[in-house]
Amino acid sequence: MSKFDVVGFGALNVDKLFKVNGIAVAEGESFATDFAETCGGSAANTVVGLARLGCRVGFVGKVADDREGRTLVEEFCKEGVDTSCITVAKQGRSGTVMGFVDEEGDRALYIDPGVNDAIDFNEKNRKYASQTEFLHLTSFVGEKSFRTQEKIVETLPENVKVSFDPGALYARKGFAALRTIVKKTYVALPNAGELELLTGKVEYRKGAEALLDEGVQVVAVKLGAKGCYIASREEKGPIESVKVKVVDTTGAGDAFNAGFLYGLIRKKSLCECGRIGNFVASRCIMKMGARTALPTFSDLKRSGLE
Ligand SMILES: Nc1ncnc2c1ncn2[C@@H]1O[C@H](COP(=O)(O)OP(=O)(O)OP(=O)(O)O)[C@@H](O)[C@H]1O
Ligand SMILES: [Mg+2]
């Protein structure tokens, strides 16, 4: 048996969200009316979701020796995520995302990738990534850490399955640039827009087919309020979302990934995986923040999905 169910490999960010009276234009001025700071990063949110469900999870990442870096690592420890493959850089800044939300709820985001973009391929992360059933990859802004993901994927033993959520950042690179990763991907978890960017197919069912043709075994397309569409060679179809009162959709996709991967780890049918993904995402969006409302194993049990 592998040491971990899932190892995440993506950016670690502290999200600094300012409520503002208006989003400033160039040379303009606005003021903040509220502020909240939370830990984020797509793969990071997903491994926290999996930890809540009782899975064994770890992370490959990098933070700096600053307050943000310590907060990111401490929160992982609290959630039960193994942090032994998170490097602390002596110089530079930890990743941050500054968000400005106006009174209409429109958002402007500024990403400062910091040391996230300086992850080297080395013996330590190669070995760590080989001790898991699933290696879950999400995007980096810069090229260096992306190349490291490519190298890790190329050196993985056969028994490690790659799970890939490209996000808009990687989807925009297009298929040719992502070929190395897609060719080794077992499960792809894009939303409909990202799938179109990635495959050039407007219709998400066709996009999913295109990924299956490239050798991806399972595709789960996230469709927002509509739920998801799942596809493999054997099973295909839409799965309706769970109707809830939406408070904040931040991290919905990451929460979905946690639920879907949980289903795969527990050897559920794809249809059940999709239902669990929708359920975990629905809980996430009922409260502010990407991690606040992520359900525990008991919550899942109570829902009857476990
Ligand atoms: N309004 C909603 N009602 C119920 N469920 C929702 C709603 N919006 C999103 N979800 C759930 O969240 C999942 C992921 O949301 P979405 O399709 O927006 O992913 P995404 O675009 O990758 O999100 P993110 O911006 O977090 O990366 C959906 O598949 C669905 O299960
Ligand atoms: Mg997403």
Side-chain angles (χ1 to χ4, degrees):
M1 194 169 78
S2 308
K3 182 170 176 196
F4 298 111
D5 296 312
V6 179
V7 164
F9 184 5
L12 285 168
N13 295 316
V14 169
D15 296 332
K16 302 182 181 198
L17 201 61
F18 295 86
K19 193 95 203 278
V20 293
N21 68 324
I23 292 165
V25 293
E27 307 295 332
E29 232 172 69
S30 291
F31 55 86
T33 54
D34 203 358
F35 174 72
E37 192 176 276
T38 51
C39 292
S42 176
N45 294 337
T46 297
V47 296
V48 167
L50 284 157
R52 296 248 179 117
L53 295 172
C55 295
R56 300 162 305 149
V57 290
F59 206 83
V60 176
K62 198 167 196 171
V63 295
D65 185 14
D66 51 17
R67 184 184 62 82
E68 287 81 358
R70 283 186 285 279
T71 306
L72 287 161
V73 173
E74 273 164 24
E75 184 147 321
F76 263 178
C77 291
K78 259 200 316 222
E79 295 283 356
V81 180
D82 182 83
T83 59
S84 60
C85 205
I86 296 177
T87 312
V88 181
K90 290 197 179 63
Q91 284 179 343
R93 299 179 300 279
S94 294
T96 51
V97 178
M98 253 175 299
F100 301 91
V101 188
D102 70 12
E103 276 145 15
E104 277 75 56
D106 287 327
R107 236 170 30 163
L109 294 181
Y110 291 82
I111 303 175
D112 175 10
V115 297
N116 279 309
D117 278 349
I119 302 176
D120 288 305
F121 174 72
N122 55 43
E123 192 44 32
K124 186 175 176 190
N125 51 32
R126 188 202 61 77
K127 195 158 167 233
Y128 191 85
S130 73
Q131 297 171 327
T132 180
E133 185 180 353
F134 286 93
L135 177 67
H136 180 62
L137 304 178
T138 60
S139 65
F140 286 101
V141 172
E143 283 299 301
K144 183 170 187 173
S145 300
F146 172 62
R147 297 278 168 240
T148 298
Q149 287 179 319
E150 287 185 321
K151 281 189 204 136
I152 287 219
V153 156
E154 280 175 323
T155 54
L156 277 182
E158 285 293 318
N159 58 316
V160 181
K161 301 186 194 86
V162 174
S163 149
F164 182 40
D165 182 344
L169 218 53
Y170 275 7
R172 256 185 250 127
K173 288 178 187 280
F175 181 77
L178 296 173
R179 192 183 181 80
T180 307
I181 292 175
V182 175
K183 281 285 178 195
K184 293 267 176 152
T185 295
Y186 175 85
V187 49
L189 301 149
N191 68 24
E194 292 152 9
L195 185 62
E196 182 181 345
L197 285 168
L198 199 60
T199 61
K201 310 275 185 214
V202 181
E203 226 284 302
Y204 62 79
R205 288 179 191 81
K206 295 220 171 79
E209 263 335 286
L211 290 184
L212 295 179
D213 288 343
E214 295 296 340
V216 176
Q217 301 287 303
V218 177
V219 183
V221 189
K222 288 168 270 185
L223 303 171
K226 290 210 218 74
C228 66
Y229 172 79
I230 51 133
S232 71
R233 282 285 169 235
E234 293 77 36
E235 230 178 314
K236 283 183 208 343
I239 299 160
E240 258 190 56
S241 66
V242 182
K243 302 290 170 266
V244 294
K245 191 170 172 290
V246 182
V247 174
D248 173 25
T249 60
T250 308
D254 310 330
F256 176 91
N257 296 346
F260 196 86
L261 287 171
Y262 173 86
L264 291 178
I265 293 161
R266 299 286 180 252
K267 311 271 188 279
K268 309 276 185 192
S269 71
L270 284 196
C271 196
E272 286 173 285
C273 294
R275 274 199 218 107
I276 301 171
N278 284 343
F279 167 75
V280 174
S282 75
R283 297 297 295 252
C284 165
I285 63 182
M286 288 166 74
K287 287 194 183 150
M288 283 297 286
R291 299 181 183 178
T292 318
L294 288 172
T296 61
F297 177 70
S298 331
D299 296 328
L300 186 66
K301 233 172 154 177
R302 245 177 304 192
S303 78
L305 283 165
E306 189 280 321

